[in-house]
Amino acid sequence: ATVESHLLDFSADVYQERVRLFFLAHLRGERSFDSTMELTAQIRNDVESTREYFAAHEVADLPLVLP
């Protein structure tokens, strides 16, 4: 399966690397956007919601790149 993800505050190059994602909470359902402006606004909202989640929940360090 393939998942497109947005990694906040992460700058390592993991393009085409195998990574492990941990789903800690459901952010929102899948949807289509009528414009790139609408998509960009939703991404901003998603980032804000994600930062709020992590500010409220303590999460242990998790391994990102698999050997």
Side-chain angles (χ1 to χ4, degrees):
T2 301
V3 174
E4 183 176 338
S5 59
H6 186 96
L7 305 176
L8 305 180
D9 306 320
F10 183 82
S11 61
D13 182 7
V14 294
Y15 186 73
Q16 295 202 1
E17 295 290 335
R18 189 172 174 195
V19 298
R20 180 179 294 169
L21 296 177
F22 294 86
F23 295 93
L24 304 175
H26 184 260
L27 185 59
R28 65 173 171 83
E30 185 177 349
R31 62 171 285 207
S32 297
F33 298 93
D34 293 328
S35 69
T36 54
M37 284 181 60
E38 209 178 291
L39 171 61
T40 302
Q42 183 63 58
I43 291 171
R44 269 201 267 329
N45 291 339
D46 292 348
V47 168
E48 183 179 335
S49 295
T50 301
R51 290 192 188 283
E52 289 171 1
Y53 175 86
F54 282 108
H57 297 84
E58 206 171 302
V59 179
D61 289 335
L62 301 171
L64 179 65
V65 179
L66 297 177

